[in-house]
Amino acid sequence: QKEVEQNSGPLSVPEGAIASLNCTYSDRGSQSFFWYRQYSGKSPELIMSIYSNGDKEDGRFTAQLNKASQYVSLLIRDSQPSDSATYLCASTGGGGSYIPTFGRGTSLIVHP
Amino acid sequence: EAGVTQFPSHSVIEKGQTVTLRCDPISGHDNLYWYRRVMGKEIKFLLHFVKESKQDESGMPNNRFLAERTGGTYSTLKVQPAELEDSGVYFCASSQEDLMGLSSYNEQFFGPGTRLTVL
């Protein structure tokens, strides 16, 4: 059974610090990886996608993928209180499937 | 551009009753997905429509769940009769036509969800 594992948190960081969110996946055939941000009571919003090994940067966000270790991470630089949310990791592509497998999410709290 | 909308936002029903959830995808999106998140668990796939056709319904838990997408626009998900374990948040998502044949890469836009409570 395909699984995506995340630490539920909460992860608490001070404003301005780097928040590091981690995710591991069980399906070695997974090809695409996504990070969603979900504010309480709102819809999950895609913030990063990554398909190849290495780092991908977009503004204050950096996604890192290591397929050999089956590990994906999201770094948020200069964390702001508005970044406080639940971050969902998801993967697709294992066995040709385009349906994402989600983790349970990590709660991030950025305190002033 | 309007996002994915879902109705109702909350529904509280008794065991044995019927509930119908509605999803309006982003205009022009052929792909529509239903997901469910049970408290404390991860978001899980239920089914996928391409236009009005069911492409994949492998995640539907049992035959008490019926999804339709007549005309390929909005979709409904009916639970009949509802059981206690059906409680959770039901999300709908939509994505564009897979022009490149790379369905894995199509961004899915999620709705705010319907919180269903079965008492």
Side-chain angles (χ1 to χ4, degrees):
Chain A
Q1 182 167 338
K2 303 173 188 176
E3 289 185 343
V4 173
E5 299 288 341
Q6 295 181 256
N7 188 321
S8 62
L11 172 66
S12 182
V13 300
E15 183 174 359
I18 296 175
S20 178
L21 303 163
N22 304 313
C23 168
T24 59
Y25 59 96
S26 64
D27 187 351
R28 189 169 287 278
S30 297
Q31 298 178 18
S32 309
F33 303 87
F34 307 90
W35 283 98
Y36 287 82
R37 178 179 62 199
Q38 186 179 19
Y39 294 112
S40 181
K42 303 295 184 181
S43 54
E45 174 194 9
L46 182 67
I47 55 171
M48 286 289 285
S49 56
I50 186 166
Y51 312 114
S52 53
N53 278 329
D55 296 358
K56 178 181 178 183
E57 186 174 320
D58 183 0
R60 295 187 296 112
F61 299 100
T62 298
Q64 299 175 318
L65 173 60
N66 183 326
K67 289 188 176 181
S69 300
Q70 296 177 233
Y71 178 90
V72 190
S73 65
L74 178 70
L75 301 178
I76 306 175
R77 289 181 300 282
D78 188 25
S79 296
Q80 301 297 309
S82 59
D83 295 325
S84 299
T86 295
Y87 290 80
L88 305 170
C89 175
S91 68
T92 67
S97 172
Y98 50 83
I99 300 300
T101 299
F102 285 90
R104 297 185 184 188
T106 298
S107 174
L108 172 66
I109 299 172
V110 181
H111 52 87
Chain B
E1 177 184 272
V4 177
T5 59
Q6 293 186 244
F7 182 84
S9 57
H10 293 81
S11 180
V12 180
I13 62 173
E14 292 188 350
K15 175 183 173 181
Q17 289 185 319
T18 298
V19 63
T20 300
L21 313 180
R22 173 169 170 147
C23 168
D24 286 76
I26 292 173
S27 177
H29 280 193
D30 288 340
N31 295 284
L32 186 148
Y33 310 82
W34 283 100
Y35 296 87
R36 176 173 71 175
R37 184 168 192 169
V38 173
M39 186 179 292
K41 301 286 188 180
E42 64 276 16
I43 295 174
K44 287 213 166 180
F45 167 77
L46 296 178
L47 88 159
H48 170 212
F49 284 99
V50 177
K51 297 183 179 178
E52 67 275 7
S53 300
K54 292 177 184 175
Q55 180 79 6
D56 182 350
E57 50 184 328
S58 61
M60 295 286 264
N62 52 59
N63 59 9
R64 295 185 293 103
F65 289 75
L66 175 63
E68 295 180 324
R69 193 184 182 195
T70 306
T73 53
Y74 71 91
S75 174
T76 58
L77 179 65
K78 179 190 288 188
V79 185
Q80 179 182 30
E83 298 289 344
L84 299 179
E85 64 265 25
D86 300 333
S87 296
V89 181
Y90 290 77
F91 289 104
C92 175
S94 71
S95 67
Q96 291 180 323
E97 179 184 359
D98 180 19
L99 296 174
M100 295 180 65
L102 297 172
S103 295
S104 297
Y105 298 82
N106 279 358
E107 177 178 356
Q108 295 185 20
F109 295 85
F110 280 77
T114 293
R115 181 174 296 278
L116 174 64
T117 302
V118 183
L119 302 176

PDB file of all heavy atoms in Angstrom, chain A residues 25 28 30-33 49-57 62-73, chain B residues 105:
ATOM      1  N   TYR A  25       8.107   8.751   1.408  1.00  0.00           N
ATOM      2  CA  TYR A  25       7.090   8.024   0.669  1.00  0.00           C
ATOM      3  C   TYR A  25       7.544   6.589   0.466  1.00  0.00           C
ATOM      4  O   TYR A  25       8.740   6.304   0.383  1.00  0.00           O
ATOM      5  CB  TYR A  25       6.776   8.707  -0.664  1.00  0.00           C
ATOM      6  CG  TYR A  25       7.957   8.868  -1.596  1.00  0.00           C
ATOM      7  CD1 TYR A  25       8.212   7.943  -2.605  1.00  0.00           C
ATOM      8  CD2 TYR A  25       8.816   9.957  -1.473  1.00  0.00           C
ATOM      9  CE1 TYR A  25       9.289   8.092  -3.455  1.00  0.00           C
ATOM     10  CE2 TYR A  25       9.893  10.114  -2.321  1.00  0.00           C
ATOM     11  CZ  TYR A  25      10.128   9.190  -3.311  1.00  0.00           C
ATOM     12  OH  TYR A  25      11.199   9.333  -4.158  1.00  0.00           O
ATOM     13  N   ARG A  28       8.408   3.460  -4.471  1.00  0.00           N
ATOM     14  CA  ARG A  28       9.622   3.876  -5.160  1.00  0.00           C
ATOM     15  C   ARG A  28       9.355   4.330  -6.598  1.00  0.00           C
ATOM     16  O   ARG A  28      10.148   5.020  -7.198  1.00  0.00           O
ATOM     17  CB  ARG A  28      10.630   2.718  -5.145  1.00  0.00           C
ATOM     18  CG  ARG A  28      12.018   3.076  -5.644  1.00  0.00           C
ATOM     19  CD  ARG A  28      13.016   1.967  -5.344  1.00  0.00           C
ATOM     20  NE  ARG A  28      13.354   1.917  -3.925  1.00  0.00           N
ATOM     21  CZ  ARG A  28      14.264   2.701  -3.348  1.00  0.00           C
ATOM     22  NH1 ARG A  28      14.912   3.618  -4.053  1.00  0.00           N
ATOM     23  NH2 ARG A  28      14.538   2.594  -2.072  1.00  0.00           N
ATOM     24  N   SER A  30       7.045   6.375  -7.493  1.00  0.00           N
ATOM     25  CA  SER A  30       6.452   7.715  -7.517  1.00  0.00           C
ATOM     26  C   SER A  30       7.323   8.657  -8.337  1.00  0.00           C
ATOM     27  O   SER A  30       8.553   8.601  -8.268  1.00  0.00           O
ATOM     28  CB  SER A  30       6.284   8.268  -6.104  1.00  0.00           C
ATOM     29  OG  SER A  30       5.393   7.475  -5.358  1.00  0.00           O
ATOM     30  N   GLN A  31       6.667   9.519  -9.104  1.00  0.00           N
ATOM     31  CA  GLN A  31       7.415  10.387 -10.019  1.00  0.00           C
ATOM     32  C   GLN A  31       7.238  11.868  -9.733  1.00  0.00           C
ATOM     33  O   GLN A  31       8.122  12.665 -10.012  1.00  0.00           O
ATOM     34  CB  GLN A  31       6.970  10.108 -11.457  1.00  0.00           C
ATOM     35  CG  GLN A  31       7.239   8.697 -11.909  1.00  0.00           C
ATOM     36  CD  GLN A  31       6.735   8.450 -13.319  1.00  0.00           C
ATOM     37  OE1 GLN A  31       6.488   9.392 -14.060  1.00  0.00           O
ATOM     38  NE2 GLN A  31       6.577   7.197 -13.672  1.00  0.00           N
ATOM     39  N   SER A  32       6.081  12.242  -9.222  1.00  0.00           N
ATOM     40  CA  SER A  32       5.786  13.660  -9.014  1.00  0.00           C
ATOM     41  C   SER A  32       5.453  13.893  -7.549  1.00  0.00           C
ATOM     42  O   SER A  32       4.794  13.060  -6.922  1.00  0.00           O
ATOM     43  CB  SER A  32       4.584  14.085  -9.866  1.00  0.00           C
ATOM     44  OG  SER A  32       4.761  13.701 -11.206  1.00  0.00           O
ATOM     45  N   PHE A  33       5.873  15.048  -7.063  1.00  0.00           N
ATOM     46  CA  PHE A  33       5.712  15.322  -5.641  1.00  0.00           C
ATOM     47  C   PHE A  33       5.209  16.753  -5.464  1.00  0.00           C
ATOM     48  O   PHE A  33       5.621  17.664  -6.201  1.00  0.00           O
ATOM     49  CB  PHE A  33       7.048  15.117  -4.912  1.00  0.00           C
ATOM     50  CG  PHE A  33       7.587  13.737  -5.130  1.00  0.00           C
ATOM     51  CD1 PHE A  33       8.380  13.463  -6.238  1.00  0.00           C
ATOM     52  CD2 PHE A  33       7.250  12.708  -4.273  1.00  0.00           C
ATOM     53  CE1 PHE A  33       8.841  12.175  -6.486  1.00  0.00           C
ATOM     54  CE2 PHE A  33       7.710  11.420  -4.503  1.00  0.00           C
ATOM     55  CZ  PHE A  33       8.497  11.150  -5.612  1.00  0.00           C
ATOM     56  N   SER A  49       5.701  22.035  -6.640  1.00  0.00           N
ATOM     57  CA  SER A  49       5.747  20.717  -7.238  1.00  0.00           C
ATOM     58  C   SER A  49       7.193  20.443  -7.641  1.00  0.00           C
ATOM     59  O   SER A  49       7.918  21.369  -8.008  1.00  0.00           O
ATOM     60  CB  SER A  49       4.830  20.630  -8.453  1.00  0.00           C
ATOM     61  OG  SER A  49       5.168  21.626  -9.403  1.00  0.00           O
ATOM     62  N   ILE A  50       7.602  19.187  -7.559  1.00  0.00           N
ATOM     63  CA  ILE A  50       8.972  18.832  -7.912  1.00  0.00           C
ATOM     64  C   ILE A  50       8.971  17.443  -8.512  1.00  0.00           C
ATOM     65  O   ILE A  50       8.236  16.552  -8.043  1.00  0.00           O
ATOM     66  CB  ILE A  50       9.916  18.940  -6.681  1.00  0.00           C
ATOM     67  CG1 ILE A  50      11.374  18.719  -7.094  1.00  0.00           C
ATOM     68  CG2 ILE A  50       9.495  17.999  -5.565  1.00  0.00           C
ATOM     69  CD1 ILE A  50      12.384  19.129  -6.017  1.00  0.00           C
ATOM     70  N   TYR A  51       9.760  17.259  -9.586  1.00  0.00           N
ATOM     71  CA  TYR A  51       9.709  16.004 -10.332  1.00  0.00           C
ATOM     72  C   TYR A  51      11.065  15.320 -10.446  1.00  0.00           C
ATOM     73  O   TYR A  51      11.138  14.134 -10.769  1.00  0.00           O
ATOM     74  CB  TYR A  51       9.164  16.253 -11.738  1.00  0.00           C
ATOM     75  CG  TYR A  51       7.904  17.089 -11.741  1.00  0.00           C
ATOM     76  CD1 TYR A  51       7.899  18.367 -12.309  1.00  0.00           C
ATOM     77  CD2 TYR A  51       6.737  16.612 -11.189  1.00  0.00           C
ATOM     78  CE1 TYR A  51       6.740  19.138 -12.304  1.00  0.00           C
ATOM     79  CE2 TYR A  51       5.574  17.371 -11.180  1.00  0.00           C
ATOM     80  CZ  TYR A  51       5.590  18.636 -11.747  1.00  0.00           C
ATOM     81  OH  TYR A  51       4.442  19.401 -11.730  1.00  0.00           O
ATOM     82  N   SER A  52      12.141  16.071 -10.221  1.00  0.00           N
ATOM     83  CA  SER A  52      13.466  15.474 -10.367  1.00  0.00           C
ATOM     84  C   SER A  52      14.300  15.727  -9.118  1.00  0.00           C
ATOM     85  O   SER A  52      14.031  16.664  -8.354  1.00  0.00           O
ATOM     86  CB  SER A  52      14.168  16.031 -11.604  1.00  0.00           C
ATOM     87  OG  SER A  52      14.186  17.435 -11.574  1.00  0.00           O
ATOM     88  N   ASN A  53      15.312  14.900  -8.945  1.00  0.00           N
ATOM     89  CA  ASN A  53      16.180  15.027  -7.779  1.00  0.00           C
ATOM     90  C   ASN A  53      16.811  16.402  -7.693  1.00  0.00           C
ATOM     91  O   ASN A  53      17.137  17.022  -8.704  1.00  0.00           O
ATOM     92  CB  ASN A  53      17.286  13.971  -7.832  1.00  0.00           C
ATOM     93  CG  ASN A  53      16.831  12.626  -7.325  1.00  0.00           C
ATOM     94  OD1 ASN A  53      15.974  12.531  -6.456  1.00  0.00           O
ATOM     95  ND2 ASN A  53      17.401  11.576  -7.883  1.00  0.00           N
ATOM     96  N   GLY A  54      16.970  16.872  -6.464  1.00  0.00           N
ATOM     97  CA  GLY A  54      17.635  18.149  -6.274  1.00  0.00           C
ATOM     98  C   GLY A  54      16.709  19.152  -5.627  1.00  0.00           C
ATOM     99  O   GLY A  54      15.734  18.793  -4.977  1.00  0.00           O
ATOM    100  N   ASP A  55      17.053  20.411  -5.808  1.00  0.00           N
ATOM    101  CA  ASP A  55      16.302  21.501  -5.210  1.00  0.00           C
ATOM    102  C   ASP A  55      15.535  22.271  -6.270  1.00  0.00           C
ATOM    103  O   ASP A  55      15.979  22.411  -7.408  1.00  0.00           O
ATOM    104  CB  ASP A  55      17.256  22.480  -4.507  1.00  0.00           C
ATOM    105  CG  ASP A  55      17.980  21.849  -3.332  1.00  0.00           C
ATOM    106  OD1 ASP A  55      17.719  20.668  -3.043  1.00  0.00           O
ATOM    107  OD2 ASP A  55      18.800  22.545  -2.698  1.00  0.00           O
ATOM    108  N   LYS A  56      14.389  22.788  -5.842  1.00  0.00           N
ATOM    109  CA  LYS A  56      13.612  23.692  -6.697  1.00  0.00           C
ATOM    110  C   LYS A  56      13.178  24.855  -5.836  1.00  0.00           C
ATOM    111  O   LYS A  56      12.553  24.658  -4.789  1.00  0.00           O
ATOM    112  CB  LYS A  56      12.396  22.970  -7.290  1.00  0.00           C
ATOM    113  CG  LYS A  56      11.528  23.870  -8.152  1.00  0.00           C
ATOM    114  CD  LYS A  56      10.325  23.114  -8.681  1.00  0.00           C
ATOM    115  CE  LYS A  56       9.428  24.019  -9.498  1.00  0.00           C
ATOM    116  NZ  LYS A  56       8.210  23.301  -9.967  1.00  0.00           N
ATOM    117  N   GLU A  57      13.519  26.056  -6.270  1.00  0.00           N
ATOM    118  CA  GLU A  57      13.238  27.248  -5.470  1.00  0.00           C
ATOM    119  C   GLU A  57      12.163  28.093  -6.126  1.00  0.00           C
ATOM    120  O   GLU A  57      12.138  28.259  -7.345  1.00  0.00           O
ATOM    121  CB  GLU A  57      14.533  28.065  -5.317  1.00  0.00           C
ATOM    122  CG  GLU A  57      14.417  29.255  -4.387  1.00  0.00           C
ATOM    123  CD  GLU A  57      15.763  29.934  -4.171  1.00  0.00           C
ATOM    124  OE1 GLU A  57      16.778  29.229  -4.032  1.00  0.00           O
ATOM    125  OE2 GLU A  57      15.786  31.185  -4.155  1.00  0.00           O
ATOM    126  N   THR A  62      11.575  26.394  -0.966  1.00  0.00           N
ATOM    127  CA  THR A  62      12.475  25.482  -1.669  1.00  0.00           C
ATOM    128  C   THR A  62      12.020  24.060  -1.404  1.00  0.00           C
ATOM    129  O   THR A  62      11.892  23.660  -0.242  1.00  0.00           O
ATOM    130  CB  THR A  62      13.938  25.638  -1.200  1.00  0.00           C
ATOM    131  OG1 THR A  62      14.386  26.962  -1.483  1.00  0.00           O
ATOM    132  CG2 THR A  62      14.834  24.641  -1.937  1.00  0.00           C
ATOM    133  N   ALA A  63      11.758  23.330  -2.475  1.00  0.00           N
ATOM    134  CA  ALA A  63      11.439  21.912  -2.351  1.00  0.00           C
ATOM    135  C   ALA A  63      12.694  21.113  -2.665  1.00  0.00           C
ATOM    136  O   ALA A  63      13.466  21.478  -3.562  1.00  0.00           O
ATOM    137  CB  ALA A  63      10.312  21.526  -3.298  1.00  0.00           C
ATOM    138  N   GLN A  64      12.899  20.049  -1.923  1.00  0.00           N
ATOM    139  CA  GLN A  64      14.058  19.194  -2.134  1.00  0.00           C
ATOM    140  C   GLN A  64      13.575  17.763  -2.309  1.00  0.00           C
ATOM    141  O   GLN A  64      12.724  17.299  -1.550  1.00  0.00           O
ATOM    142  CB  GLN A  64      15.005  19.281  -0.930  1.00  0.00           C
ATOM    143  CG  GLN A  64      15.550  20.674  -0.674  1.00  0.00           C
ATOM    144  CD  GLN A  64      16.385  20.752   0.600  1.00  0.00           C
ATOM    145  OE1 GLN A  64      16.022  20.188   1.624  1.00  0.00           O
ATOM    146  NE2 GLN A  64      17.505  21.462   0.532  1.00  0.00           N
ATOM    147  N   LEU A  65      14.114  17.076  -3.307  1.00  0.00           N
ATOM    148  CA  LEU A  65      13.715  15.696  -3.585  1.00  0.00           C
ATOM    149  C   LEU A  65      14.953  14.811  -3.637  1.00  0.00           C
ATOM    150  O   LEU A  65      15.924  15.131  -4.317  1.00  0.00           O
ATOM    151  CB  LEU A  65      12.957  15.614  -4.906  1.00  0.00           C
ATOM    152  CG  LEU A  65      12.604  14.227  -5.428  1.00  0.00           C
ATOM    153  CD1 LEU A  65      11.719  13.466  -4.439  1.00  0.00           C
ATOM    154  CD2 LEU A  65      11.928  14.321  -6.794  1.00  0.00           C
ATOM    155  N   ASN A  66      14.871  13.693  -2.932  1.00  0.00           N
ATOM    156  CA  ASN A  66      15.918  12.677  -2.975  1.00  0.00           C
ATOM    157  C   ASN A  66      15.222  11.338  -3.209  1.00  0.00           C
ATOM    158  O   ASN A  66      14.702  10.726  -2.272  1.00  0.00           O
ATOM    159  CB  ASN A  66      16.707  12.673  -1.664  1.00  0.00           C
ATOM    160  CG  ASN A  66      17.856  11.679  -1.688  1.00  0.00           C
ATOM    161  OD1 ASN A  66      17.771  10.606  -2.292  1.00  0.00           O
ATOM    162  ND2 ASN A  66      18.946  12.028  -1.021  1.00  0.00           N
ATOM    163  N   LYS A  67      15.199  10.909  -4.458  1.00  0.00           N
ATOM    164  CA  LYS A  67      14.470   9.679  -4.805  1.00  0.00           C
ATOM    165  C   LYS A  67      15.149   8.445  -4.237  1.00  0.00           C
ATOM    166  O   LYS A  67      14.481   7.472  -3.912  1.00  0.00           O
ATOM    167  CB  LYS A  67      14.314   9.564  -6.310  1.00  0.00           C
ATOM    168  CG  LYS A  67      13.345  10.569  -6.902  1.00  0.00           C
ATOM    169  CD  LYS A  67      13.072  10.293  -8.373  1.00  0.00           C
ATOM    170  CE  LYS A  67      12.023  11.245  -8.918  1.00  0.00           C
ATOM    171  NZ  LYS A  67      11.723  10.980 -10.348  1.00  0.00           N
ATOM    172  N   ALA A  68      16.466   8.472  -4.112  1.00  0.00           N
ATOM    173  CA  ALA A  68      17.162   7.305  -3.561  1.00  0.00           C
ATOM    174  C   ALA A  68      16.747   7.068  -2.115  1.00  0.00           C
ATOM    175  O   ALA A  68      16.571   5.925  -1.684  1.00  0.00           O
ATOM    176  CB  ALA A  68      18.669   7.512  -3.652  1.00  0.00           C
ATOM    177  N   SER A  69      16.548   8.142  -1.383  1.00  0.00           N
ATOM    178  CA  SER A  69      16.137   8.041   0.013  1.00  0.00           C
ATOM    179  C   SER A  69      14.628   8.124   0.182  1.00  0.00           C
ATOM    180  O   SER A  69      14.117   8.008   1.303  1.00  0.00           O
ATOM    181  CB  SER A  69      16.792   9.166   0.843  1.00  0.00           C
ATOM    182  OG  SER A  69      18.203   9.063   0.783  1.00  0.00           O
ATOM    183  N   GLN A  70      13.912   8.353  -0.932  1.00  0.00           N
ATOM    184  CA  GLN A  70      12.450   8.469  -0.911  1.00  0.00           C
ATOM    185  C   GLN A  70      12.031   9.537   0.091  1.00  0.00           C
ATOM    186  O   GLN A  70      11.190   9.297   0.973  1.00  0.00           O
ATOM    187  CB  GLN A  70      11.824   7.100  -0.619  1.00  0.00           C
ATOM    188  CG  GLN A  70      12.111   6.096  -1.713  1.00  0.00           C
ATOM    189  CD  GLN A  70      11.559   4.714  -1.430  1.00  0.00           C
ATOM    190  OE1 GLN A  70      12.292   3.738  -1.480  1.00  0.00           O
ATOM    191  NE2 GLN A  70      10.294   4.618  -1.131  1.00  0.00           N
ATOM    192  N   TYR A  71      12.584  10.695  -0.125  1.00  0.00           N
ATOM    193  CA  TYR A  71      12.465  11.786   0.840  1.00  0.00           C
ATOM    194  C   TYR A  71      12.208  13.093   0.100  1.00  0.00           C
ATOM    195  O   TYR A  71      12.868  13.398  -0.897  1.00  0.00           O
ATOM    196  CB  TYR A  71      13.790  11.854   1.603  1.00  0.00           C
ATOM    197  CG  TYR A  71      13.928  12.939   2.622  1.00  0.00           C
ATOM    198  CD1 TYR A  71      13.552  12.728   3.941  1.00  0.00           C
ATOM    199  CD2 TYR A  71      14.488  14.174   2.279  1.00  0.00           C
ATOM    200  CE1 TYR A  71      13.714  13.720   4.891  1.00  0.00           C
ATOM    201  CE2 TYR A  71      14.651  15.173   3.219  1.00  0.00           C
ATOM    202  CZ  TYR A  71      14.263  14.929   4.525  1.00  0.00           C
ATOM    203  OH  TYR A  71      14.424  15.921   5.468  1.00  0.00           O
ATOM    204  N   VAL A  72      11.229  13.839   0.604  1.00  0.00           N
ATOM    205  CA  VAL A  72      10.908  15.146   0.039  1.00  0.00           C
ATOM    206  C   VAL A  72      10.836  16.142   1.191  1.00  0.00           C
ATOM    207  O   VAL A  72      10.323  15.808   2.269  1.00  0.00           O
ATOM    208  CB  VAL A  72       9.528  15.139  -0.669  1.00  0.00           C
ATOM    209  CG1 VAL A  72       9.313  16.426  -1.451  1.00  0.00           C
ATOM    210  CG2 VAL A  72       9.391  13.942  -1.571  1.00  0.00           C
ATOM    211  N   SER A  73      11.330  17.330   0.972  1.00  0.00           N
ATOM    212  CA  SER A  73      11.230  18.329   2.024  1.00  0.00           C
ATOM    213  C   SER A  73      10.819  19.674   1.451  1.00  0.00           C
ATOM    214  O   SER A  73      10.921  19.906   0.242  1.00  0.00           O
ATOM    215  CB  SER A  73      12.562  18.467   2.778  1.00  0.00           C
ATOM    216  OG  SER A  73      13.554  18.977   1.911  1.00  0.00           O
TER     217      SER A  73
ATOM    218  N   TYR B 105       1.031  15.431 -14.019  1.00  0.00           N
ATOM    219  CA  TYR B 105       1.516  16.782 -13.844  1.00  0.00           C
ATOM    220  C   TYR B 105       0.424  17.841 -13.811  1.00  0.00           C
ATOM    221  O   TYR B 105       0.698  19.006 -13.654  1.00  0.00           O
ATOM    222  CB  TYR B 105       2.502  17.129 -14.968  1.00  0.00           C
ATOM    223  CG  TYR B 105       3.713  16.243 -14.964  1.00  0.00           C
ATOM    224  CD1 TYR B 105       3.689  14.987 -15.538  1.00  0.00           C
ATOM    225  CD2 TYR B 105       4.882  16.655 -14.350  1.00  0.00           C
ATOM    226  CE1 TYR B 105       4.793  14.160 -15.517  1.00  0.00           C
ATOM    227  CE2 TYR B 105       5.998  15.837 -14.332  1.00  0.00           C
ATOM    228  CZ  TYR B 105       5.948  14.597 -14.906  1.00  0.00           C
ATOM    229  OH  TYR B 105       7.050  13.791 -14.882  1.00  0.00           O
TER     230      TYR B 105
END
